Amino acid sequence: MSQSLRRLARKAREDPRAQFTSIAHLMTEEVYYAAWRRLEKGASAGVDGVTAKAYAANLDENLRALHARVKAQRYRPQPVRRVYIPKEGGQMRPLGVPALEDKLVQGVVRLVLDPIYEQAFLPCSLGFRPGRSPHQALATLQQAITRQKVSHVLDIDIKGFFDNMDHGHLLRFVQHRVKDRSILRLLRLWLRAGVLEAGAIHRSPTGTPQGGAISPLLANIYLHYVLDLWAERRLRKSLRGEMVLVRYADDAIVGFQHADDAETFRRALAGRLAQFGLELNAAKTRLLEFGRFAAERAARRGKKPETFDFLGFTHICGRTRRGWFQVRRKTSKKRLRRFVTATGKWCKANRHVPLPDQWRILCGKLRGHYQYYGVAGNRNCLQVVYERVVRGWRQWLNRRSQRARMPWLRFTALLRRYPLPRPVLRLMSPVAVQGVLF
């Protein structure tokens, strides 16, 4: 971070009510180069077809020209290219792919806005923030449930959040801290740029396409005012017990000491979201008993304690060897099935690729999976993934041709030459963020 951005962060921290009316001058060429370094170079091209490799061929001139166009207000964003990725159950999730220069300018604006909003966001907000990670959110939730008086959990799912953020409300939220006309103009341009799909441009007064560098920050700003501040400064006063909130982007878990507090929160939250064009997904929002006494209560009813999923992990009420309550985590069935299925499809599509290349890519896929899901207590799920990937690889190697088969004896010899990485757990546990308890 440059000295100018450090001073900006210090001012925002020292004066929580300060409004910033002149910050566009901080979008210097240096910041453009910083945004370029952060850019995902292998990402898909936008509607103009320009790739990072082509742009880098004349990088200095391109960045100087882009900086000049933005400064002179001659920059105009292009529509976002709509793509779809498959979801569980045969549905498709829409994603937006901005043009490369639009990603760059969004990254520049985010680098300028982050120092301001990082001083405003509450500790419960852990998604897509500098120095925060999904593992930190998981550790924070685990620690809060273990150490605080949590007996009930509300698993919140906001229906179509990124598609239903109201532009008017969003810009008003931004102007609580930022009133620089140049910055606001850029935000309006991106929100109005529209989506290109089937040769037609579609514009809407709501939503921000997932895929842009600015979208995660705008989502955090929106929920900071709609959910986080509301829960802390207003609703907390009406509850008689403890409450804990952990939010990662639009995925949120709220823990309560009392069941009636949880019901009060859920009813109030539905009304609060409706004021800002949002609604709870009734099919996925759940209130369940969870905590140190949930297992005992469930046993008295002849049942097992309920579980919930958060950030790809199923959370389970468990006990240590000494009998102390603990929150156990394992890979959710949906995420495990998705990874194994996707890896099997890759093996099928690439079964004729040379074996060393197949082996190298499969090793990368497994290591990436272990890096995220290799938390304490989850070794069994990692072992299941390893075994299914091994079987899937052998299955499609066995079908490379009608003549050359891959019996298990031959495949075992191949594995000795090209061993796939075995499951490993993370060596260091992430540090939980303090202060999430309201």
Side-chain angles (χ1 to χ4, degrees):
M1 186 186 293
S2 68
Q3 289 296 328
S4 298
L5 295 181
R6 287 192 180 96
R7 288 194 293 270
L8 185 67
R10 184 167 59 250
K11 182 177 179 180
R13 182 170 57 252
E14 292 173 352
D15 187 358
R17 296 189 177 184
Q19 292 183 322
F20 298 87
T21 58
S22 179
I23 57 175
H25 66 280
L26 299 176
M27 297 167 57
T28 62
E29 288 188 17
E30 175 191 358
V31 179
Y32 277 79
Y33 277 98
W36 168 259
R37 289 191 292 271
R38 290 188 175 195
L39 196 68
E40 178 56 53
K41 305 301 189 297
S44 301
V47 295
D48 58 359
V50 177
T51 63
K53 183 178 180 180
Y55 201 80
N58 198 10
L59 182 63
D60 293 341
E61 183 177 336
N62 286 334
L63 289 182
R64 281 196 295 269
L66 178 60
H67 174 250
R69 293 206 319 272
V70 173
K71 190 173 181 180
Q73 296 192 355
R74 291 185 287 107
Y75 159 79
R76 293 292 184 276
Q78 301 185 62
V80 173
R81 181 169 66 88
R82 176 73 82 195
V83 296
Y84 291 88
I85 60 173
K87 290 176 59 177
E88 199 77 16
Q91 297 179 327
M92 303 296 286
R93 179 193 298 275
L95 291 179
V97 182
L100 186 135
E101 285 198 335
D102 296 335
K103 293 179 186 177
L104 265 173
V105 182
Q106 289 183 19
V108 170
V109 171
R110 180 163 184 179
L111 284 171
V112 173
L113 293 183
D114 268 343
I116 297 173
Y117 285 102
E118 278 302 302
Q119 319 310 315
F121 291 151
L122 302 183
C124 63
S125 173
L126 293 155
F128 305 109
R129 293 179 56 191
R132 303 289 198 272
S133 70
H135 289 107
Q136 205 169 15
L138 291 163
T140 302
L141 178 63
Q142 182 184 40
Q143 187 177 100
I145 293 176
T146 303
R147 297 185 180 182
Q148 307 299 334
K149 298 175 183 178
V150 173
S151 296
H152 302 269
V153 162
L154 181 63
D155 182 2
I156 296 174
D157 187 276
I158 302 175
K159 189 174 182 179
F161 170 70
F162 283 92
D163 294 329
N164 292 306
M165 280 193 294
D166 181 88
H167 294 172
H169 290 308
L170 174 59
L171 290 171
R172 281 192 290 273
F173 292 151
V174 171
Q175 290 178 73
H176 284 314
R177 299 305 303 272
V178 176
K179 288 200 170 183
D180 186 300
R181 293 183 179 179
S182 297
I183 298 293
L184 294 174
R185 173 183 171 274
L186 288 173
L187 294 179
R188 290 190 184 96
L189 287 175
W190 291 323
L191 293 173
R192 296 171 182 172
V195 174
L196 180 64
E197 186 173 10
I201 298 177
H202 305 277
R203 292 184 173 87
S204 171
T206 63
T208 174
Q210 298 182 62
I214 201 68
S215 295
L217 175 61
L218 297 180
N220 275 333
I221 292 173
Y222 206 88
L223 287 176
H224 172 70
Y225 289 101
V226 172
L227 177 58
D228 301 348
L229 287 178
W230 168 80
E232 178 187 13
R233 296 180 180 176
R234 291 182 56 185
L235 198 69
R236 172 179 178 264
K237 299 175 183 178
S238 64
L239 305 180
R240 61 189 182 94
E242 293 185 358
M243 179 184 77
V244 59
L245 168 64
V246 176
R247 181 176 64 79
Y248 193 91
D250 60 328
D251 293 327
I253 299 292
V254 193
F256 300 91
Q257 182 179 357
H258 302 295
D260 55 344
D261 283 347
E263 290 289 356
T264 298
F265 185 95
R266 179 160 63 174
R267 288 193 299 268
L269 178 61
R272 174 70 176 179
L273 294 178
Q275 295 176 25
F276 299 96
L278 303 173
E279 65 175 306
L280 290 174
N281 188 333
K284 295 183 178 180
T285 298
R286 302 168 54 223
L287 176 59
L288 59 143
E289 278 192 331
F290 195 95
R292 64 189 67 199
F293 304 116
E296 299 173 7
R297 294 170 182 163
R300 287 197 292 267
R301 297 192 298 268
K303 299 181 178 179
K304 292 183 178 180
E306 296 180 274
T307 64
F308 66 92
D309 291 351
F310 182 58
L311 298 181
F313 288 89
T314 298
H315 292 67
I316 305 165
C317 293
R319 296 284 175 181
T320 65
R321 293 181 179 179
R322 296 186 176 183
W324 298 102
F325 169 76
Q326 68 171 176
V327 178
R328 292 177 49 236
R329 294 169 296 182
K330 67 177 186 179
T331 310
S332 70
K333 292 181 180 179
K334 182 170 69 174
R335 292 291 183 91
L336 193 153
R337 183 169 58 248
R338 182 190 302 173
F339 178 79
V340 171
T341 301
T343 306
K345 289 181 178 178
W346 184 90
C347 290
K348 177 182 179 181
N350 295 274
R351 62 187 182 274
H352 298 296
V353 170
L355 278 175
D357 295 335
Q358 290 190 47
W359 170 73
R360 186 180 65 255
I361 294 174
L362 282 175
C363 286
K365 290 179 180 292
L366 282 171
R367 290 193 187 103
H369 186 85
Y370 299 157
Q371 178 66 21
Y372 185 80
Y373 291 101
V375 301
N378 196 36
R379 183 178 290 276
N380 288 344
C381 287
L382 299 187
Q383 184 64 29
V384 169
V385 165
Y386 170 80
E387 292 172 358
R388 292 187 182 179
V389 169
V390 167
R391 288 201 300 268
W393 193 25
R394 183 255 170 186
Q395 174 188 357
W396 292 109
L397 288 179
N398 192 44
R399 299 186 182 184
R400 293 183 86 180
S401 69
Q402 294 291 335
R403 296 180 180 178
R405 294 292 181 177
M406 184 64 67
W408 273 107
L409 187 62
R410 183 182 171 192
F411 182 67
T412 302
L414 183 144
L415 276 181
R416 285 196 292 269
R417 185 176 180 184
Y418 299 107
L420 294 177
R422 294 276 182 173
V424 291
L425 302 181
R426 295 169 61 90
L427 297 179
M428 295 182 62
S429 298
V431 178
V433 176
Q434 302 300 318
V436 298
L437 182 68
F438 293 152

